[in-house]
Amino acid sequence: MMGKKLKWGMVGGGQGAFIGAVHRMAARLDDRYELLAGALSSRPEKSAASAAEAGIASERSYLHWQEMAECEGALRRAGQGGIDVVSIVTPNHLHAPVASAFLAQGIHVICDKPLAISLAQAEMLQAQAARSGLVCVLTHTYTGYPMVRHARELVRQGAIGELRLLQVEYAQDWWAGGPAITGEGAWREDPAMAGPAGTLGDVGVHAYQLAAYVSGVEPSHLAAELSTFGHGRVLDDHVQVMLRYANGARGTLWASQVATGCENALTLRIYGTHAQLRFEQENPNELWLTPQGGAAQRLTRGRVQGQDALHATRIPAGHPEGYIEAFAQLYRDAADRIQAGGRGSTPEGLLPDFRDGVMGHRFIQAVLDSSHADSAWVSLA
């Protein structure tokens, strides 16, 4: 659904912030948003310079996100062009309070994960979002890939049979050595800003959400071990989890940011009674389907006919699409839903929302509880 561009604002994501630039590129790809307001940094000079660079007028560049929420809400109520939607790309501890402030002003929210820094905080925010009736999106980027959506559709069509085994891993090496993080990313090593989870909250929740998104089910119990290899590091940098499912299926989740030699190796393998599915994020334009007793089939973006994949496909087969396009798909789906009064053309469940955020925090809390109890089995109920 096309219409006027959405009036858009951003909190966080100023100069030097990787993810802020990604959000802006993604939003621009389908030309559905106009960036009009921002509180891009808590430092006045940097905030003003970042806003000017992003094309935001000086009178709509705010130093404090509280002021931005109040002013933009007032402009909306007065019919004077206040923003329709805000993107939140701050350190973790600000996600929930910023989202809550903008929801209170009737403004739709697109938020980075994790949703909050505790399960209780995430549940309170999700309840507020549900009461508001506003569109609330959580940017689990990898759900925007056409072949991830096709895998999800195949599972729901019964292509793999009943779930039997699941393996998901997310391996990086950027935290494998060297001194403590400095500069823009230093908050990642501060529990007051990052929350109680390091790698677990950064990429572990991505792996967990992807597994649940494609398989359609969450585990009932888990047993976990958190490790910290970095010298002097407070938060975890390596996660190992065993998973049990209600139907008797078993799974494993491994997330690490000290896996030497790994770049962004997010891999999902789902084994059913009839077939196996395998997706590798570093080769996102393909999906492998292997029937029991049959030959492996390489399915490629632009060639499969599933409606969920076609909905997220922009260009012909053989022209690679990647991370920015996947991110842009979330923005396009959000725009469709906002402009359609909360409905839109995206099927229910395809666009991750604050319910995914609560699910992620249930996982984080269960992993913390299990690891603290010497890897005892704990319930996710």
Side-chain angles (χ1 to χ4, degrees), residues 1-2 6 26-33 110 135 137 144 146 149 307-315 321 324-340 343-346 351:
M1 176 179 177
M2 293 295 292
L6 290 168
R28 290 168 181 150
L29 192 60
D30 293 299
D31 204 23
R32 304 287 295 277
Y33 297 80
I110 299 172
V135 173
V137 176
R149 294 188 172 191
Q307 290 303 306
D308 292 349
L310 291 174
H311 174 74
T313 296
R314 289 174 169 76
I315 55 179
E321 292 185 5
I324 298 298
E325 288 87 352
F327 221 116
Q329 187 60 41
L330 303 188
Y331 268 89
R332 184 166 73 177
D333 289 342
D336 284 347
R337 192 159 290 179
I338 291 167
Q339 292 175 328
R343 297 180 299 275
S345 60
T346 305
L351 182 62

Side-chain angles (χ1 to χ4, degrees), residues 150-172:
H150 190 60
R152 181 181 186 272
E153 188 171 6
L154 288 175
V155 170
R156 280 151 182 76
Q157 291 173 347
I160 69 165
E162 185 179 6
L163 176 67
R164 180 172 284 168
L165 303 170
L166 183 149
Q167 295 176 320
V168 62
E169 58 191 53
Y170 200 150
Q172 299 176 328

Side-chain angles (χ1 to χ4, degrees), residues 19 38 69-70 122 139 162 188 217-218 251 263 297 315 327 336:
I19 201 64
E70 292 169 4
T139 53
E162 185 179 6
R188 294 177 179 276
V217 292
E218 292 182 66
E263 295 177 352
Q297 302 171 23
I315 55 179
F327 221 116
D336 284 347

Side-chain angles (χ1 to χ4, degrees), residues 40 66 91 127-128 137 148 165 192-193 196 207-208 210 232 236 248 251 256 286 307 310 325 328 345 355 367 372:
L40 303 184
Q66 298 97 326
Q128 181 185 2
V137 176
V148 165
L165 303 170
M193 301 180 74
Y208 184 77
L210 181 67
D236 62 274
S256 182
E286 63 183 35
Q307 290 303 306
L310 291 174
E325 288 87 352
S345 60
R355 290 170 294 185
V367 169
H372 292 158

Side-chain angles (χ1 to χ4, degrees), residues 33 85-86 108-113 115 134-140 330-331 333-335 337-338 351-354:
Y33 297 80
V85 56
V86 67
H108 304 281
V109 174
I110 299 172
C111 184
D112 265 349
K113 60 89 205 121
L115 184 57
L134 295 164
V135 173
C136 297
V137 176
L138 197 66
T139 53
H140 278 292
L330 303 188
Y331 268 89
D333 289 342
R337 192 159 290 179
I338 291 167
L351 182 62
D353 58 22
F354 285 9

Side-chain angles (χ1 to χ4, degrees), residues 21 80 90 135 148 225 243 260 266 276 309 332 351 365 370 379:
Q80 296 179 357
T90 64
V135 173
V148 165
E225 181 181 54
L243 308 169
T260 308
L266 172 59
Q276 173 210 143
R332 184 166 73 177
L351 182 62
Q365 189 59 56
S370 174
S379 172

